Amino acid sequence: MKKFCVIGTPISHSLSPRVHNAWFRAKGIAAEYSTQEVSAKDLAGFMKRFRNEFAGANITIPHKQRVIKFLDFVSAEAKNIGAVNTIINKNGKLYGYNTDVSGVLKSLIKSIKIIRGKKVVVLGAGGAARATVYGLIKSGAKVSILNRTVAHAKNLAREFSAYSFGSLEDFDAANCNILINTTSVGMWPNTMDSPLPSLKKILKGLPARKKPIVMDIIYRPKLTKLLRDAKSAGCKIITGDLMFINQANESFNYFLQVAV
Ligand code: ATR
């Protein structure tokens, strides 16, 4: 039986095993997908084991960037992004891809037909932010990156030629068509936390046509504090489950290459 997993920490909340196991079952493939709780210091050791034991994996917080050095081949897109969320093991050689990019773009395109020219504020500067910023800039959006550690936002903005960067406190709702959270703030079990604690107040002052669309890539809970605040302020929201399913589906297509 081929083994697959999702590697990260904390990982117990992940929905990936449920989704991928159901898809394997539906295709009649004898494979097993598990969660693997791996800390930063254990990643090197785990990746050695992975090469012998596992056929494929998803990579999540906080390893999307640091996993790259353990791979033999990285797709051009994942290389440009600097983050990998999908690995397959072909005869002992590890191949890395990034399916977050199309996951984010597909989720946005359902609600926003044209991304080109839109002012998008991305919260966060980690691995998920890198995929989001890369995809949006490639699609012609005007991207601002806001992050707790401003130096990380600055580096990312420079690397991808984003429009601007700043701290989370710099959020200017009047200059934002789309707001996307890529930080882990608000993720279960900290469901009362928000990367922008005063969002509701900020948004209530805006006329309806100026209110941004708000998207969160966190999918547990489905309605994060950020999205609850945005919804009650009258914004259109995009929940993280859409992005989750879109990236999972593309990852699954890679897994099929090594599942039988
Ligand atoms: P991922 O690969 O999933 O993006 P990551 O690379 O660890 O995970 O990035 C996590 C992001 O969440 C970062 O932008 C981080 O901000 P810092 O660069 O300041 O570390 C952000 N983040 C995590 N915890 C946070 C918190 N309590 N408040 C604000 N931002 C936070």
Side-chain angles (χ1 to χ4, degrees):
M1 164 125 46
K2 291 286 175 81
K3 284 169 73 177
F4 293 82
C5 62
V6 55
I7 304 167
T9 184
I11 200 64
S12 60
H13 72 282
S14 175
L15 283 184
S16 294
R18 216 187 294 171
V19 168
H20 287 284
N21 282 324
W23 287 342
F24 282 130
R25 261 198 312 275
K27 289 222 170 261
I29 294 171
E32 171 196 70
Y33 188 112
S34 60
T35 55
Q36 296 292 330
E37 178 86 41
V38 178
S39 68
K41 73 171 173 37
D42 293 338
L43 187 64
F46 182 82
M47 290 311 293
K48 268 193 200 140
R49 206 184 117 200
F50 180 87
R51 209 179 270 276
N52 298 321
E53 263 183 51
F54 288 86
N58 285 115
I59 312 296
T60 189
I61 286 180
H63 304 314
K64 288 179 182 176
Q65 293 167 77
R66 62 172 72 97
V67 78
I68 289 178
K69 62 173 176 284
F70 303 108
L71 306 179
D72 303 299
F73 167 86
V74 178
S75 74
E77 189 167 65
K79 219 177 256 172
N80 282 334
I81 295 161
V84 157
N85 77 326
T86 304
I87 298 177
I88 55 174
N89 184 351
K90 281 191 193 169
N91 307 315
K93 291 254 181 287
L94 303 185
Y95 292 68
Y97 305 94
N98 192 305
T99 71
D100 284 336
V101 185
S102 65
V104 171
L105 293 177
K106 274 191 194 153
S107 311
L108 275 176
I109 283 162
K110 270 200 121 181
S111 306
I112 304 141
K113 295 291 163 258
I114 300 162
I115 293 178
R116 184 161 299 280
K118 292 285 188 305
K119 293 177 195 161
V120 185
V121 175
V122 173
L123 306 179
R130 294 182 70 88
T132 305
V133 170
Y134 173 88
L136 287 166
I137 290 179
K138 231 175 79 175
S139 308
K142 198 170 161 188
V143 177
S144 300
I145 304 165
L146 306 182
N147 194 44
R148 173 178 63 179
T149 310
V150 178
H152 297 165
K154 182 178 177 180
N155 291 342
L156 188 54
R158 286 231 171 115
E159 196 179 331
F160 290 156
S161 303
Y163 177 69
S164 66
F165 66 88
S167 70
L168 296 170
E169 290 71 34
D170 292 331
F171 177 61
D172 176 11
N175 263 311
C176 174
N177 304 123
I178 305 163
L179 170 66
I180 305 178
N181 176 45
T182 73
T183 76
S184 47
V185 184
M187 193 186 285
W188 184 87
N190 304 312
T191 53
M192 293 310 289
D193 292 353
S194 166
L196 296 177
S198 40
L199 182 70
K200 199 158 143 187
K201 215 166 78 199
I202 297 169
L203 292 176
K204 280 210 159 146
L206 284 181
R209 67 186 167 78
K210 287 251 176 195
K211 291 190 201 277
I213 293 175
V214 181
M215 171 170 167
D216 205 322
I217 70 164
I218 293 171
Y219 60 84
R220 191 168 176 207
K222 184 170 163 179
L223 277 180
T224 57
K225 175 79 168 76
L226 184 87
L227 292 182
R228 296 198 298 275
D229 286 350
K231 200 174 174 196
S232 74
C235 294
K236 184 168 184 178
I237 60 165
I238 304 173
T239 53
D241 52 342
L242 198 59
M243 147 86 184
F244 172 75
I245 286 294
N246 285 332
Q247 64 75 31
N249 196 259
E250 203 179 312
S251 293
F252 189 72
N253 287 333
Y254 284 115
F255 295 158
L256 288 179
Q257 293 183 25
V258 289
V260 283

